[in-house]
Amino acid sequence: MNSRVSDETGKESGEIARLISYVVLIATSGGLFWEAMTIPTSRFEVLGAGAFPALVYGCLILLLASAIATSVRRIPASAYARFAEDFQTWIKTRRLVFVLFVCLGLYLAVMPVIGYPIATFVFLVVLQFWFAPKTRSAAVTVLILAIVFSVGLNWLFDEVFNVFLPRGS
Amino acid sequence: MFLKGAAEVLSASTLVYMLIGSIAGIIAAAIPGFTVTMAIVLTLPLTFTMEPLQGIAVMLSVYVGGYTGGLISAALLGIPGTPSSVATTFDAFPMSRNGEPGRALSIGVWASFFGTMISTAVLVVAAPPLAIFAVKLGPWEYFSLIVFALSIVASLVGNSLQRGLIAALIGLAISTIGTDPILGRPRFDFNLEVLAAGLPFLVVLIGIFAISQLASEVEDAVAIRKGEKLASGDIDFKTWQVMREVIARPVNLIRSSVVGVLIGALPGAGGSIANLVAYDQAKRASKTPDQFGKGITDGVVASESGNSATAGGGLIPLIALGIPGSAVDAILMASLMVHGISVGPRLIMDNADLVYGMFIAMAVSSLMMLVVCIFSMRTFLRVAEVPKWVIVPIVLVCCVVGAFALNNRVTDLYLLGAVGLLGYALRALDYPLAPLVLGVILGPIAETNLRRALMTDGDWTLFVTRPVSLVFLLAGIASVAWAIRNHRKRKAGNTNEKEPLR
């Protein structure tokens, strides 16, 4: 799959990225394991509300520790120096993915404020214009689709399904 | 009684309503984020004015159509339209990407059809004994069953066993966020409203699979601006040839359907587990397990026949004992009760015509789904010809609407964005996503039954002294051992002794 870090940034940089993910996950798991242990148990049951999560986080910590050890052993020291550069290249080649996530984040954040129809119309127009070839027919398609999936879908849910999409405050 | 039920189902008006229901179910499930349950809920009020059997027949047609509809987005977009089509993405999507989207859809439709027909046959013959067996299982057996289901992770791990297990544990960890399922104590919500209700499974599924898949579709900026399409190649397919191809796999078809029926008959389980278990069993039984995940016919057949067979399986406890096995079955039960029909062990005796009518309606719904799919497949396949710059933003909007409509909660939208980002990061780092989703599905069931078992009796040995529980646990151990052995054999077959750095 071309989305893998490995495809463009090199195998070792991909492994370093995974090593970083293991470290982040083990730190998070450690904190949540501690949190699970502090959940009080009930006198009505053998296991408390924290027992199952503690078991899960405990196993996760052990697995991540083993994954970190394996990764550290396999990554050559010279690879760390190239990582920052490879990472920058990886980010640059995936700029549209970041555009997509920024647009999605803004869309989800403003929808409760300005309502579904306006937020969706703007989201579709911006994102599709960004991605589309710069032609007149593409522009017309973008506008038609944006109206259908913003106003049209809102009407369908409102009138037919009685499900009210966010109307804005 | 049989003829009376048949006459009512086969009347012109019922058939027309069923056809509309079938189309509605297929379309609803084909849209990522919309589930069979949502379609059934929206259909329920429309059936109030109908005769009881007519109403139930229409809802069954939505139900059967919905199980197949999930296949469409799974095969063409790589996004499971419903939780029950997660395993369909493993092989149907690669098949589409290899230039055979028509064949991928067609195999799935035929497998769904045969899966539903086999489950209907089992429903007619074995409903009462299977239902009695299913309800005799206690929390010990359920927990052991979930341990067995979790052992599937070992064969879904992809390139690295370690990362597969980590992904499954992340899924289990995600499932523990929110209210504790036994005593209702808040856990890991950090006083944030967005986490207080936990992470709804569907939001996680859409975020992990759909958002991350859509994001990965736009990685190549040049190609997308040139109007690159989702899939290229021949969208045409030969229906009868594909049917013969599916029938040529009788063992896979029957095994996967039986898995679907058995899991469907267990209250609380269902299509979301059945498709993964059926896929796993097909992979284990295959002479070419390495081809699974690359677009093999057996993978599509197993997943689709497995998930469709749960429709019949789910009706077993409902008809025989009046116990709904899933949310959809509960809505079907509510529909019967609205019409003044008492649901319980006496249902077959007191309303034999209705029950026989339901059996016939299942078979007719399946046939109707097949006809609708065959005639509309070319239209659905046009989706594969739509440029990515059109389809990606629109499917994103559908995902957002689906996630919101689930609970009408704005906070679910924020969760969707966050989970989508996490899904893309995990995908980019080569973590397999299927084990994570399996962990989210099975986590609450495992925890609830483990704690319930120990609340009933604090003796841990009951998990191994109760025969059915022991069988499930041994099957789980055997399943993991088999997968590890295969994983090692594959690595040993590699010229590189070590797992390659990716």
Side-chain angles (χ1 to χ4, degrees):
Chain A
M1 183 158 301
N2 60 5
S3 62
R4 286 176 189 157
V5 171
S6 56
D7 290 348
E8 288 173 22
T9 63
K11 293 173 180 177
E12 289 138 350
S13 293
E15 191 62 31
I16 294 173
R18 275 191 289 275
L19 176 61
I20 294 169
S21 77
Y22 298 148
V23 172
V24 171
L25 284 171
I26 204 169
T28 313
S29 302
L32 292 173
F33 179 80
W34 181 257
E35 173 87 11
M37 296 301 281
T38 61
I39 296 174
T41 51
S42 160
R43 61 193 167 99
F44 298 109
E45 59 171 339
V46 179
L47 298 177
F52 186 76
L55 180 72
V56 171
Y57 287 116
C59 293
L60 197 50
I61 289 168
L62 290 176
L63 258 174
L64 286 164
S66 132
I68 289 171
T70 313
S71 266
V72 168
R73 209 172 50 237
R74 291 169 60 191
I75 300 169
S78 58
Y80 293 97
R82 292 194 304 271
F83 178 70
E85 193 187 329
D86 283 347
F87 185 63
Q88 276 179 358
T89 313
W90 186 83
I91 296 272
K92 271 181 199 165
T93 55
R94 279 155 181 81
R95 59 188 182 280
L96 281 192
V97 176
F98 292 94
V99 168
L100 184 142
F101 274 112
V102 169
C103 288
L104 182 66
L106 289 172
Y107 170 52
L108 298 177
V110 302
M111 192 194 290
V113 182
I114 63 173
Y116 171 82
I118 300 172
T120 304
F121 181 81
V122 175
F123 173 72
L124 284 176
V125 166
V126 170
L127 206 58
Q128 289 192 332
F129 267 126
W130 206 304
F131 291 167
K134 307 294 174 252
T135 62
R136 190 183 293 268
S137 65
V140 173
T141 310
V142 166
L143 285 174
I144 292 171
L145 288 173
I147 291 168
V148 169
F149 282 89
S150 56
V151 182
L153 209 57
N154 190 54
W155 175 86
L156 183 75
F157 272 76
D158 201 340
E159 297 294 324
V160 181
F161 300 146
N162 282 328
V163 173
F164 304 109
L165 299 174
R167 292 171 169 175
S169 52
Chain B
M1 289 294 184
F2 179 83
L3 291 176
K4 195 179 165 196
E8 202 169 332
V9 172
L10 298 174
S11 70
S13 60
T14 308
L15 288 176
V16 170
Y17 285 134
M18 285 177 76
L19 181 67
I20 297 169
S22 193
I23 295 169
I26 291 168
I27 292 175
I31 302 169
F34 291 77
T35 61
V36 187
T37 313
M38 281 185 200
I40 290 268
V41 168
L42 294 170
T43 312
L44 180 63
L46 307 176
T47 64
F48 287 167
T49 54
M50 297 177 186
E51 289 296 311
L53 182 53
Q54 195 176 43
I56 284 288
V58 172
M59 290 176 70
L60 284 174
S61 64
V62 176
Y63 190 14
V64 173
Y67 266 116
T68 310
L71 153 78
I72 294 166
S73 58
L76 300 181
L77 306 173
I79 299 168
T82 62
S84 57
S85 51
V86 169
T88 308
T89 58
F90 300 163
D91 279 290
F93 186 53
M95 200 181 275
S96 288
R97 283 288 156 102
N98 294 339
E100 296 181 300
R103 188 165 155 258
L105 269 190
S106 203
I107 290 171
V109 167
W110 278 108
S112 283
F113 170 71
F114 288 121
T116 313
M117 294 306 264
I118 292 170
S119 78
T120 308
V122 176
L123 177 67
V124 173
V125 176
L130 260 179
I132 289 165
F133 172 75
V135 294
K136 272 189 179 168
L137 301 183
W140 301 272
E141 286 80 13
Y142 266 93
F143 176 74
S144 302
L145 170 70
I146 298 305
V147 170
F148 168 60
L150 273 171
S151 70
I152 295 168
V153 165
S155 65
L156 298 177
V157 290
N159 295 318
S160 159
L161 185 63
Q162 212 166 34
R163 279 197 297 284
L165 295 174
I166 291 170
L169 285 166
I170 292 173
L172 286 174
I174 287 174
S175 76
T176 64
I177 297 171
T179 315
D180 139 45
I182 297 283
L183 296 175
R185 196 188 293 274
R187 293 188 304 200
F188 310 117
D189 63 3
F190 307 103
N191 294 324
L192 295 172
E193 190 195 340
V194 71
L195 295 177
L199 271 65
F201 162 61
L202 200 68
V203 172
V204 175
L205 180 80
I206 300 171
I208 289 287
F209 272 108
I211 306 279
S212 68
Q213 176 65 37
L214 292 169
S216 68
E217 294 291 353
V218 299
E219 282 176 348
D220 189 346
V222 178
I224 197 167
R225 285 193 172 132
K226 277 185 180 169
E228 188 189 34
K229 292 168 185 172
L230 279 172
S232 55
D234 190 10
I235 67 158
D236 216 353
F237 58 95
K238 295 177 177 65
T239 304
W240 304 113
Q241 191 179 317
V242 170
M243 184 199 74
R244 282 194 291 276
E245 196 181 346
V246 173
I247 290 178
R249 291 165 168 76
V251 177
N252 187 359
L253 256 182
I254 292 171
R255 183 188 49 235
S256 305
S257 302
V258 170
V259 165
V261 170
L262 293 176
I263 292 180
L266 297 175
S272 51
I273 300 175
N275 74 108
L276 289 161
V277 176
Y279 182 87
D280 175 62
Q281 294 304 315
K283 187 175 174 183
R284 284 163 198 272
S286 171
K287 287 176 185 163
T288 53
D290 290 349
Q291 292 305 308
F292 276 71
K294 294 176 183 170
I296 191 170
T297 307
D298 276 316
V300 187
V301 169
S303 170
E304 278 306 304
S305 54
N307 71 20
S308 295
T310 54
L315 289 181
I316 289 172
L318 177 70
I319 288 174
L321 297 161
I323 297 169
S326 66
V328 175
D329 296 319
I331 299 161
L332 287 174
M333 186 167 142
S335 165
L336 287 170
M337 289 163 81
V338 163
H339 287 101
I341 293 161
S342 167
V343 183
R346 289 191 59 84
L347 180 69
I348 296 180
M349 286 174 265
D350 296 341
N351 298 283
D353 55 334
L354 181 89
V355 174
Y356 284 124
M358 284 171 76
F359 295 157
I360 295 163
M362 276 288 289
V364 173
S365 300
S366 184
L367 200 61
M368 216 159 248
M369 172 279 294
L370 182 70
V371 173
V372 170
C373 283
I374 286 174
F375 282 105
S376 60
M377 205 174 289
R378 281 185 174 76
T379 312
F380 285 123
L381 282 165
R382 297 286 165 211
V383 171
E385 294 191 320
V386 177
K388 284 183 182 176
W389 65 265
V390 172
I391 202 88
V392 169
I394 285 172
V395 177
L396 266 176
V397 168
C398 291
C399 291
V400 168
V401 171
F404 177 80
L406 184 68
N407 296 312
N408 274 24
R409 242 184 354 224
V410 170
T411 50
D412 283 353
L413 299 179
Y414 307 142
L415 283 176
L416 180 73
V419 174
L421 198 58
L422 172 73
Y424 183 73
L426 292 177
R427 185 187 280 265
L429 291 164
D430 199 23
Y431 284 83
L433 300 180
L436 190 150
V437 171
L438 198 64
V440 178
I441 297 170
L442 299 178
I445 313 176
E447 181 180 5
T448 304
N449 286 292
L450 175 65
R451 289 171 63 186
R452 199 175 279 161
L454 293 171
M455 279 170 94
T456 312
D457 192 324
D459 184 4
W460 286 82
T461 60
L462 284 170
F463 287 102
V464 288
T465 52
R466 291 174 69 103
V468 178
S469 172
L470 180 64
V471 167
F472 283 139
L473 287 177
L474 289 176
I477 293 167
S479 166
V480 171
W482 185 90
I484 291 174
R485 184 178 148 268
N486 270 17
H487 199 76
R488 286 193 174 160
K489 224 161 87 178
R490 214 172 54 222
K491 274 174 76 177
N494 246 337
T495 44
N496 297 328
E497 278 294 308
K498 290 179 185 174
E499 178 200 335
L501 283 170
R502 284 174 180 275

